[in-house]
Amino acid sequence: MNATTLRTRLNPLILALALVIGPMAPPAQAAVLLNDSFDRADGPITNDLDSGWTRHSGVEGETQITSGLLELTRSQTEDLHHGWNAALSDDATEVFYGFDLIVRRRPSNGGAYFATINHTISQARLFLYSTPDDPDDRFRMALSNASGDRSLATAWEEPLPLDVSIRIVVRYEITSGNSQLWASPEDSSSPKITASDTPSPRRPTTFVWRQ
């Protein structure tokens, strides 16, 4: 999966992300729905009217681009969404989103979801959190089909290391509403988790970064 560069900061943690939405191993006819390098002038991302990113809640202009990187933080309130740059075909059965993730600092014990796809409700929500028993240099991930409650999300089995690049891939099955998560997979047969909360099938129309 090709990827471009994006950084996200969730106070007090920092994420380095490379975002692409489409198939895990796209065949020639498959569309890449969204791929953004954030290679534009420093300043609020919403200042660039051609970026495609739109604020849907929070304070306009909080989310900054710095040196080609997008920065998000939990101390800010601006949430952003982006529609697809290519049409999702009528016969599509699944959507993937993925990015390269580096967590610099531990998230809070409670955690929150920070990435999701959406159509009227959020699906395939990706959470970051930690537990008191985890080593200081580890964090945890979890995935839900639709729930915003982290306690209902399915956790990645082992804590993951800070300051290490991890390729995140999430699959959303359009008909069933079920979601799966891989961490640095070689292919679709690599270890994964499947969210177990009640799904709410939709045809997603946007990707969302949540602060």
Side-chain angles (χ1 to χ4, degrees):
M1 180 176 66
N2 294 326
T4 51
T5 300
L6 157 72
R7 176 184 292 167
T8 300
R9 179 180 300 151
L10 293 172
N11 190 35
L13 58 92
I14 296 175
L15 316 173
L17 305 167
L19 172 67
V20 63
I21 299 176
M24 180 180 288
Q29 72 273 21
V32 175
L33 301 176
L34 172 59
N35 189 348
D36 195 334
S37 68
F38 296 99
D39 184 17
R40 52 180 72 94
D42 288 0
I45 188 172
T46 52
N47 280 1
D48 181 356
L49 300 181
D50 295 326
S51 73
W53 292 96
T54 302
R55 177 191 66 86
H56 59 266
S57 64
V59 177
E60 180 94 36
E62 284 184 333
T63 309
Q64 301 285 315
I65 288 181
T66 305
S67 301
L69 304 172
L70 182 71
E71 298 189 349
L72 308 177
T73 171
R74 287 278 293 171
S75 65
Q76 297 179 166
T77 60
E78 186 177 32
D79 297 336
L80 302 168
H81 68 271
H82 196 307
W84 308 145
N85 289 334
L88 180 61
S89 65
D90 292 340
D91 60 353
T93 60
E94 55 191 19
V95 171
F96 291 84
Y97 71 80
F99 45 81
D100 296 325
L101 169 68
I102 300 174
V103 179
R104 300 296 188 192
R105 301 173 190 165
R106 280 166 58 102
S108 66
N109 289 347
Y113 73 91
F114 72 100
T116 182
I117 53 178
N118 186 278
H119 178 67
T120 67
I121 66 167
S122 293
Q123 306 106 5
R125 304 188 197 208
L126 185 61
F127 294 75
L128 294 182
Y129 69 105
S130 61
T131 70
D133 295 333
D134 291 335
D136 290 342
D137 62 349
R138 294 289 189 272
F139 72 98
R140 290 183 180 266
M141 288 192 307
L143 180 72
S144 75
N145 290 317
S147 177
D149 184 345
R150 200 267 297 168
S151 68
L152 298 179
T154 299
W156 192 258
E157 184 174 353
E158 299 293 335
L160 297 162
L162 300 177
D163 296 312
V164 173
S165 180
I166 300 168
R167 173 63 55 91
I168 301 300
V169 178
V170 174
R171 177 167 65 193
Y172 176 73
E173 299 170 357
I174 295 172
T175 301
S176 68
N178 291 319
S179 306
Q180 297 174 319
L181 167 66
W182 290 260
S184 298
E186 294 183 2
D187 53 40
S188 60
S189 65
S190 297
K192 64 181 182 294
I193 59 171
T194 299
S196 59
D197 62 301
T198 302
S200 182
R202 300 286 196 282
R203 287 180 61 83
T205 56
T206 60
F207 178 83
V208 176
W209 291 120
R210 179 174 180 264
Q211 298 188 87

